[in-house]
Every structure is written in C-alpha cells, then in structure tokens.
Amino acid sequence: MAEACASPDIALQEIDFPDAARLDALAGVAKMFPWPMGRERDEKACADMTYLVDGVLAQISRGRGALEVAIGECLAALAIGDRTMKLGYSNIGDYAREELGINAGTAVKMERLGRGLRERPLMREAVRKGEVSARKAETVLRVARGDAEAYWVQQARMETVRALQAATAEPRNPEEDEWTRLCVKVPAGKAPVLDEAMKVARKAVGPTVPRWELFLKMCEEFLGAHPVPDEVSLGELSPAGPEDLSSLEERLEQETRQWANLVAPPPVDAPAESFEFDPWHLHARLQKLVAMRDRRDESFGHLAMVFRGMRAWDRLGFASFPHYCRERLGMAERTVCQRASLERKLREVPVLREALREKHLSYEKARLLARHLEKQEIAG
C-alpha cells in the first residue's frame, strides 16, 4: 500500500489559508495557560480566566473546523470512481487511517459532508466562509434540498444545533416497537467468565430479572469501583434523562440569548478549493491539509484539557460539557475529549509527543497507543 501511494514528485503550491497567521498567534497564547491550574478562591479571577480560555478555544476550534471542511472536500473528490483504488486502497476509511492518521469512521463522515455540500452550493458557501459550522450543516443536510436550501442555510446561521435537531427530527410513529437490542462484544475465551458473573448477579438481584438488567447492574457495580475514564465526560454521566437535559439546554439558550455575553469568534474561511482531481495530487494536498491541522491540534488539546478541568461550561451558561462542545465549538464532545485525553498522556510520556512531532507516529496511532498501553510500555 505504501508503494501504491509513492507517487512521482508533484509541484503543489502552498495552500492558501489567510487565517493561518492569526491561528498560529492564538496557539502561542494557548501555551500561556498553565496546567494543572492552581486553586483560586477569587470568584472574579475565576470568571475572567474562564472567559479568556473560552475565547481562545472557540477561535482555535473555528480554524480546526475550516481545515476539516477542506479535508472533507478533498476526500469526497478522492472517493469518486477508482481514484482511491489507484492509491492502493479499497475505500476512503482505510486510506485515511493508514495515510493520514485519521480514524476511518471520522474520515467517512467528513467525506459524506464534503459530498453533500457539493450538491448544496448555498450551504457549501456558508460552511466554507465559517458562517455555519460543519456540525450544523450535518444536522440540516437531509432537509436542505432544492428550494428549501436557502431557508435552512438561514436557520443554521441563527439557531442552535439543538434547535436544528428538533426542527429536522422525523416524526415518530407511536405504533413502532420501542424495544432496543443491546449487543456486547465478548473477547475470546471470556464467555464463561461472563456467564459466571451473570449467575452471581442473578443471586444478588433476583431469579426472574432479565439478562439486560443483570448486565446493567454489573456495569453500575464496575463504575462504582473504578474512576471515570478520561475520554468520558462528566456530562455523559448526568443523572438527568435526555428529556430533562434537553429542556435545561433550551432554557439556558433562551435565558442567555444564545450566550450573547460571549465574544463571537470571527469566521474562518476554509482553504481555497483545489480543482485538480488527479489522485496523487489530491493525496499530496490532503497530506498538507492534515499537517496544517495537526500543527494546531496541540494547542487545541491543551486548552480543551484546561477548560474541562475547570468545569468552565457551568460559568458560561451551558448545561453540560457536551452542550458546550456542540454549540460553542461546533464539534462532537467525544472528539474534544479524545484530544484532551491524548494531550494529558503526552505530558506524562514525552517520548510519545516527540514521536508525534517528528511524524514517526500519526495521530490515530498515538491515540491508540496512549489508550491501550501503560506509560512504561509506550516507549517500547
């Protein structure tokens, strides 16, 4: 596969990204925020620090989003016909994971958005100019067709992601069966252990309890004895149900007038589009775009770690950390948590950061190593 992507040298012009200098300056500002944060009893000082971290984080996330829009458009162009095959891969997911260091599922979503925007010129222009986040575009993509496209572009500019999700939700058929199948992957050879655990749980809970409830009790017992993993946000563990949380989010959005007290980050234009469709040219361009994004990811991960450690979303008027990520950063909460968790591991294992900076490891490889190996194992 590596040989298949070893194309002849391609003279690729420097990618036009007008906001690059400003984002690099913000990356320097991000390093000024210490980790771990010291204890501070002065409420005003805490509030000031919260607004400062949020202002820089929101702007860096805009730049990251603009680069991902450009990456998604290139992936969409590469997915046409047999272009990916010419590079030695059967699909975009495999190519992105091995050549760009992007998770396969993430790459497929980016390609799907790039393909969808190509068919919706008004939405595409708004996303490329930074007027509409990629998260909002994904939400309304299904309904923003034909004559309705202009309406949904305007709605995406004004409304929150939560409001857009509610407006585009398909009506539920009350006659549909509400049962949900829960599937759990059991490692090889561990099935007898699980069966024995189920027997013990049945003795403790009751002989007539269904298996799914036994499994739920086992999970609760595990969480009660183990710390919450870094990649899981405290917002995910909120005791409030989805309906209660949605009501709280809606109330806060109205009370804060969609967080009018926060400084609106300036829009960031996506890098200029390439009209070359040669697969090796697209491959070279994608490598440059990903490198541009990765250079700014370190500061983003650092700020996300600081912000999460401060629980700063409470002071800013958001219901939870996922709510903040979705509405303020325009990103999935899991994506932000993964980057913050990796940054924490990089601080613990400097050799991993060095390998990432020198391109010996891709982001996806570094994330997998940090997640599944102990600190003393990573160097080897």
Side-chain angles (χ1 to χ4, degrees):
M1 291 182 183
E3 294 180 359
C5 277
S7 61
D9 291 338
I10 295 175
L12 187 66
Q13 292 182 346
E14 192 63 32
I15 294 175
D16 182 21
F17 191 25
D19 295 286
R22 178 164 61 85
L23 293 172
D24 288 340
L26 287 170
V29 174
K31 296 177 182 178
M32 298 170 62
F33 295 99
W35 175 263
M37 299 288 285
R39 284 189 172 274
E40 178 58 63
R41 297 183 180 276
D42 185 349
E43 183 61 29
K44 185 179 183 304
C46 292
D48 290 343
M49 180 63 74
T50 296
Y51 283 102
L52 285 171
V53 174
D54 165 74
V56 180
L57 181 59
Q59 292 192 60
I60 292 178
S61 69
R62 285 287 181 96
R64 192 181 192 278
L67 287 167
E68 292 204 337
V69 168
I71 292 170
E73 289 189 336
C74 276
L75 289 174
L78 191 61
I80 296 174
D82 62 349
R83 293 170 185 169
T84 312
M85 293 287 290
K86 288 181 180 179
L87 296 178
Y89 294 91
S90 61
N91 57 69
I92 282 294
D94 289 347
Y95 162 79
R97 181 181 60 243
E98 301 300 332
E99 295 294 335
L100 307 178
I102 299 175
N103 178 273
T106 301
V108 170
K109 290 179 181 178
M110 294 167 70
E111 182 271 329
R112 186 187 304 131
L113 177 62
R115 177 162 33 91
L117 292 177
R118 193 168 55 221
E119 301 167 355
R120 299 162 177 81
L122 298 178
M123 182 67 74
R124 179 176 179 275
E125 183 179 1
V127 172
R128 287 191 60 84
K129 288 183 176 180
E131 298 171 355
V132 173
S133 69
R135 187 65 186 268
K136 289 184 177 181
E138 289 173 353
T139 303
V140 303
L141 209 61
R142 178 179 58 83
V143 294
R145 295 179 177 276
D147 296 338
E149 182 184 358
Y151 169 79
W152 285 109
V153 170
Q154 188 61 24
Q155 290 296 107
R157 288 191 179 106
M158 299 186 302
E159 297 291 349
T160 62
V161 176
R162 183 205 57 77
L164 293 172
Q165 288 174 340
T168 58
E170 295 181 348
R172 191 181 69 84
N173 184 355
E175 297 180 358
E176 289 182 355
D177 192 355
E178 295 186 4
W179 286 94
T180 300
R181 174 175 293 181
L182 173 65
C183 298
V184 180
K185 185 176 180 180
V186 180
K190 297 296 184 180
V193 178
L194 179 61
D195 291 338
E196 186 63 27
M198 286 286 189
K199 291 179 182 177
V200 174
R202 192 173 293 282
K203 291 179 181 178
V205 180
T208 60
V209 174
R211 286 176 63 85
W212 69 265
E213 193 167 336
L214 294 176
F215 188 75
L216 177 63
K217 295 298 182 183
M218 291 166 57
C219 292
E220 291 175 351
E221 184 72 19
F222 177 85
L223 290 174
H226 295 77
V228 179
D230 284 340
E231 293 188 6
V232 178
S233 89
L234 298 176
E236 289 182 341
L237 304 178
S238 172
E243 294 182 359
D244 295 335
L245 191 58
S246 180
S247 299
L248 177 59
E249 291 175 354
E250 183 178 8
R251 179 170 61 80
L252 288 172
E253 290 165 15
Q254 293 173 351
E255 289 180 355
T256 61
R257 291 179 292 121
Q258 295 188 16
W259 308 283
N261 61 321
L262 300 183
V263 176
V268 178
D269 290 2
E273 181 188 9
S274 170
F275 294 98
E276 283 282 348
F277 297 112
D278 175 76
W280 288 279
H281 182 98
L282 289 170
H283 171 62
R285 183 176 176 82
L286 278 164
Q287 287 183 315
K288 278 203 167 188
L289 287 169
V290 171
M292 292 169 69
R293 187 196 66 170
D294 290 349
R295 282 202 303 271
R296 296 162 179 86
D297 251 7
E298 187 172 323
S299 57
F300 175 81
H302 173 71
L303 280 179
M305 180 177 63
V306 171
F307 186 92
R308 193 165 174 241
M310 295 168 61
R311 292 184 61 87
W313 61 87
D314 285 335
R315 283 192 173 88
L316 298 180
F318 292 87
S320 62
F321 186 58
H323 189 209
Y324 173 82
C325 294
R326 186 175 68 241
E327 303 295 353
R328 181 68 167 162
L329 305 183
M331 298 173 64
E333 176 259 354
R334 184 168 295 278
T335 302
V336 181
C337 283
Q338 285 179 349
R339 197 60 192 82
S341 298
L342 178 60
E343 179 61 25
R344 179 175 295 185
K345 183 64 72 172
L346 293 176
R347 286 177 171 271
E348 297 174 359
V349 190
V351 67
L352 185 60
R353 186 189 297 279
E354 183 181 350
L356 193 60
R357 284 177 173 172
E358 295 180 359
K359 304 300 180 184
H360 297 315
L361 289 178
S362 67
Y363 167 79
E364 184 65 8
K365 287 181 179 179
R367 187 180 71 84
L368 291 172
L369 286 175
R371 183 177 180 182
H372 295 291
L373 294 182
E374 295 297 328
K375 183 165 60 174
Q376 60 272 16
E377 298 176 300
I378 291 179

